[in-house]
Amino acid sequence: MNWKLAFNIAVTHLVSKRRQSIIAMLGVTFGISMFIIMISFMTGVNQFTEDMAMDNTPHVRIYKPIELEDKKIISIDNPEKGNDWHVLLHQRPKNELPKIKNGMMLMQQIESMPEVLGVAPQISSQVFFNNGPVQIPGTINGIDVKKQKELFALDKKMDYGDLDDLLKGGDVIIIGKGLAKKTNVTLGDRVSVTTPEGNNLTLKIVGIFSYGIVSMDESRCYATLATVQKILGKDPSYVTDLNIKLKDIDGARAFAANLANQLPEAHVEDWETANASLLAGTAIRNIMTFVVCATLLVVAGFGIYNIMNMNIVNKMKDIAILKATGFQGNDITGIFLLQSLMIGVAGALLGLVIGFFISYLLSITPFPAGEFFRIKTFPVNFNPMHYLTGVMFGFLTTLFAGYFPSKRASKIDPVSIIRG
Amino acid sequence: MTILKADGIVKYFTEPEKFKVLKGVSFEVAKGEFLSIIGKSGCGKSTLLYILSTMDTDYEGNLEIKGENLRGKTQNELAAFRGENLGFVFQFHYLLPEFTALQNVMMPAMKLGKYSNEEIEHRAIEKLKLVGMDEYARKHASKLSGGQQQRVAIARALVNDPAIIMGDEPTGNLDKANSIKVFDILSQLAHDNNQTIITVTHDPDFANGSDRIIEMEDGNIIGTHFPKQGAKQL
């Protein structure tokens, strides 16, 4: 069939019914621009909450959990036989150091695996902070400053001071914003840290950080590995956690399962398991976004369907004439399908522009998030994929909406129209 | 030379109830002949014309045009056949109102795709000259008067140089002066270009000017007249 001729006829029809064409186009424009705004904002929010949690979350974490010893000492000399059972009441957890065996060597091994971006060692311990007579519970984390910066972007979370100051002297610490407020300390002040075992050390505050997550900002502080080893009275090989960042976050579950097989004595946990509730929230928001967007596009599609149907009723005589002068059924389908697609593509492109513009306005609108959130404007995600999806959706919707009326047009019997 | 041969054409209408409109019509048309079909309203003459035009395929009997049997061809094959061999002029001129007179005339030729666009335009202007409408070529169809539109419609019917031109009351909606113009064009085509003209008409002057008149009543042919050979005038 002659597409160029069909295209010319389609364009002439659209231009001569300018108002109707524009209204049909605006239906698509509205649908697509709302789609862009909704999806940009929703994924922006998802990205923001995910980043807030994920910046700080290792993809895979290796630690030594406190657990009950399954083997009973009495079983060593008197193994259970037949119906003889050993029953132990009120068993206590084994007093075992939460240390990962050969932590530093293990770290180097894991770091050399191809999937791994990096491994940051950490020592975590419960401590009490004292500034005056009141004891405030919290946790101290001994970190490798360089790796923490590279893998977890801790330097980006600093409100006051510099993360690198941790390396510039002994007995220095950075503490969370909430904790600083509770203990009423600022940069340069000293705070006394007491471990559950009773060890005590006075540390100087060189920085204050905030994650925007209250529970973390009110209890955490960071020092170097050496400082924490010193407080706890442990040797330099003492590490309680290995925090792994992978190149591909989606491979975390498989990687963790694989690693767990090789490390029977430690516990390996992937981020998906650790953040199940966060992921559920994200999934629900995504579903909502897609349902709303799909509805908008279906409504726009029905608009086009209606207008195309009306258009074809108006053009009955023309269709009969075209058929009488040698146009075949698929020529007629082509003419009306092209009209529908032109409406759809033009509407979708305009929708993208308007959607982008409103998303941009939203992204510079101040967002009163409170002092804990590290965010000043609405989070908006400008992902080119969304724009591509928008055009594809617009194209497909109009293709569908235009197809059935066009098919109907091709079946019009010219005799019944020309005879009147 | 016979160009069109209808053999025992029978046609039923099923709405509102089954009714035999054509009761076995047979006739032949020679190349270059100017034929008029007349009869009272409801005698089946228009129905016959639309069967001859290949647009109505729901009939019994045989139809041959240019030696080609048209029974059992698909709608698309028939559309292609129409485009190449048949031209139509209707009572209500039916130009595409969004397009200019020239574009209207060019359209069937562009569909046929036999010539380049420049050549189609050249031919279309030739045909418009033939019907005296070349100075209105760039005007929109909707801006033309009824008579002018009918002449453009004739130019459109001619653009592919069809063997047969069919008209369903081509002068039915025109005043005397325009009717005469249209008649002159059609009769010139038959005698100078050797193209066959088949028209259904109510206009006795128009019919008397043609080579042969077929008179119909109640789905049958009841008479054939040759007005130029001194036969009875209608």
Side-chain angles (χ1 to χ4, degrees), chain A residues 140-141 162-175 189-191 201-207 221-224 227-228 230-231:
Chain A
I140 190 163
N141 296 295
D162 195 339
L163 187 62
D164 290 331
D165 290 347
L166 276 183
L167 297 170
K168 285 183 187 156
D171 298 351
V172 291
I173 191 173
I174 62 169
I175 71 171
D189 286 353
R190 284 174 189 279
V191 67
L201 197 66
T202 303
L203 300 170
K204 187 181 160 196
I205 295 164
V206 295
C221 64
Y222 290 101
T224 58
T227 308
V228 179
K230 184 172 156 193
I231 302 170

Side-chain angles (χ1 to χ4, degrees), chain A residues 16 315 317 323 331 419, chain B residues 47 50 82 94 98 111:
Chain A
S16 63
K315 290 268 176 282
K317 275 167 72 176
K323 283 191 146 187
D331 293 313
R419 292 199 64 171
Chain B
T47 307
Y50 285 107
R82 279 199 293 278
Y94 287 127
E98 296 92 351
K111 169 56 203 162

Side-chain angles (χ1 to χ4, degrees), chain B:
Chain B
M1 190 186 116
T2 303
I3 193 148
L4 181 146
K5 189 173 164 196
D7 189 14
I9 303 279
V10 174
K11 165 85 183 172
Y12 292 96
F13 277 168
T14 50
E15 296 286 328
E17 55 195 34
K18 198 164 179 184
F19 170 66
K20 202 171 184 179
V21 206
L22 296 176
K23 299 168 179 167
V25 176
S26 304
F27 65 97
E28 290 183 11
V29 186
K31 189 164 163 56
E33 192 177 16
F34 188 167
L35 174 73
S36 293
I37 303 172
I38 61 165
K40 297 200 176 66
S41 284
C43 71
K45 59 188 191 304
S46 283
T47 307
L48 177 64
L49 186 75
Y50 285 107
I51 289 171
L52 299 183
S53 79
T54 75
M55 281 193 269
D56 188 350
T57 51
D58 182 22
Y59 61 91
E60 292 164 18
N62 265 317
L63 176 64
E64 244 177 55
I65 295 179
K66 284 177 85 179
E68 209 169 325
N69 194 337
L70 297 174
R71 281 237 63 138
K73 284 197 187 278
T74 65
Q75 288 292 345
N76 279 344
E77 284 166 350
L78 289 174
F81 183 84
R82 279 199 293 278
E84 187 153 13
N85 299 303
L86 302 178
F88 298 97
V89 184
F90 306 102
Q91 180 175 7
F92 306 101
H93 359 76
Y94 287 127
L95 296 178
L96 305 180
E98 296 92 351
F99 295 86
T100 63
L102 182 64
Q103 284 172 321
N104 264 288
V105 175
M106 287 169 69
M107 196 91 53
M110 286 171 79
K111 169 56 203 162
L112 191 63
K114 221 158 117 183
Y115 305 104
S116 69
N117 276 4
E118 293 77 42
E119 190 161 356
I120 289 170
E121 189 170 337
H122 175 74
R123 290 168 66 89
I125 287 175
E126 286 295 300
K127 303 300 176 195
L128 282 170
K129 261 187 198 145
L130 195 69
V131 297
M133 284 296 296
D134 51 320
E135 55 189 300
Y136 299 95
R138 309 280 168 192
K139 271 203 139 179
H140 271 264
S142 55
K143 302 263 163 60
L144 300 174
S145 75
Q148 290 171 330
Q149 286 195 36
Q150 193 62 301
R151 277 144 70 194
V152 173
I154 294 173
R156 181 180 63 193
L158 297 177
V159 73
N160 285 339
D161 287 330
I164 306 177
I165 295 153
M166 295 190 185
D168 184 10
E169 310 217 20
T171 58
N173 220 22
L174 301 178
D175 60 20
K176 195 77 204 160
N178 275 311
S179 293
I180 290 169
K181 267 184 206 156
V182 168
F183 174 83
D184 288 344
I185 294 165
L186 290 177
S187 104
Q188 186 193 344
L189 286 171
H191 301 135
D192 298 354
N193 288 10
N194 208 21
Q195 282 170 294
T196 310
I197 315 278
I198 303 174
T199 58
V200 162
T201 184
H202 269 124
D203 180 350
D205 292 339
F206 188 97
N208 285 331
S210 58
D211 299 336
R212 176 157 64 127
I213 300 171
I214 287 177
E215 191 177 0
M216 286 184 69
E217 196 176 283
D218 291 338
N220 287 311
I221 294 178
I222 55 162
T224 307
H225 317 283
F226 296 90
K228 286 181 186 158
Q229 296 167 16
K232 83 162 183 189
Q233 296 276 312
L234 291 164

Side-chain angles (χ1 to χ4, degrees), chain A residues 42-43 46 281-291:
Chain A
M42 285 302 217
T43 56
N46 282 349
T282 304
I284 289 169
R285 272 194 298 271
N286 278 342
I287 291 170
M288 263 173 52
T289 311
F290 274 102
V291 167

Side-chain angles (χ1 to χ4, degrees), chain A residues 1-237:
Chain A
M1 75 180 268
N2 189 339
W3 283 104
K4 207 178 145 215
L5 180 58
F7 180 80
N8 283 339
I9 297 175
V11 169
T12 309
H13 278 175
L14 286 179
V15 171
S16 63
K17 284 258 188 312
R18 198 172 297 133
R19 247 171 71 101
Q20 197 191 46
S21 309
I22 288 174
I23 287 169
M25 200 188 79
L26 286 181
V28 185
T29 301
F30 180 70
I32 301 286
S33 59
M34 280 310 288
F35 167 79
I36 292 292
I37 296 162
M38 287 278 301
I39 204 158
S40 301
F41 183 52
M42 285 302 217
T43 56
V45 170
N46 282 349
Q47 193 68 49
F48 170 68
T49 47
E50 215 175 287
D51 283 352
M52 207 167 67
M54 286 313 295
D55 266 5
N56 184 41
T57 309
H59 297 161
V60 176
R61 177 175 164 230
I62 302 174
Y63 63 102
K64 179 95 185 172
I66 293 168
E67 54 193 5
L68 288 174
E69 183 72 61
D70 198 35
K71 239 174 16 193
K72 289 136 195 142
I73 295 170
I74 193 169
S75 308
I76 297 171
D77 288 333
N78 308 294
E80 291 172 344
K81 267 184 262 156
N83 284 338
D84 294 340
W85 288 13
H86 298 135
V87 177
L88 205 62
L89 294 175
H90 302 295
Q91 192 184 0
R92 301 287 189 273
K94 193 173 157 199
N95 183 16
E96 205 179 18
L97 279 176
K99 163 184 173 161
I100 298 175
K101 264 185 217 157
N102 290 327
M104 288 306 184
M105 252 174 65
L106 186 61
M107 184 182 95
Q108 279 167 4
Q109 261 176 35
I110 294 173
E111 223 163 22
S112 66
M113 290 179 180
E115 307 97 313
V116 176
L117 190 68
V119 184
Q122 188 176 314
I123 306 167
S124 295
S125 175
Q126 303 286 319
V127 286
F128 291 106
F129 298 98
N130 288 73
N131 182 24
V134 183
Q135 291 196 321
I136 294 162
T139 55
I140 190 163
N141 296 295
I143 53 169
D144 180 324
V145 173
K146 197 167 147 268
K147 284 189 170 159
Q148 203 73 14
K149 195 158 90 179
E150 275 169 13
L151 300 176
F152 297 98
L154 186 56
D155 54 326
K156 300 266 163 46
K157 311 286 183 192
M158 297 300 293
D159 287 351
Y160 306 101
D162 195 339
L163 187 62
D164 290 331
D165 290 347
L166 276 183
L167 297 170
K168 285 183 187 156
D171 298 351
V172 291
I173 191 173
I174 62 169
I175 71 171
K177 191 178 183 177
L179 191 59
K181 208 172 165 191
K182 267 194 194 170
T183 48
N184 194 23
V185 290
T186 57
L187 288 188
D189 286 353
R190 284 174 189 279
V191 67
S192 162
V193 176
T194 312
T195 66
E197 285 84 21
N199 302 339
N200 183 297
L201 197 66
T202 303
L203 300 170
K204 187 181 160 196
I205 295 164
V206 295
I208 292 173
F209 66 85
S210 69
Y211 280 113
I213 300 169
V214 179
S215 62
M216 283 164 78
D217 293 343
E218 283 197 341
S219 65
R220 278 211 186 170
C221 64
Y222 290 101
T224 58
L225 285 170
T227 308
V228 179
Q229 281 157 355
K230 184 172 156 193
I231 302 170
L232 296 173
K234 306 290 185 203
D235 58 279
S237 72

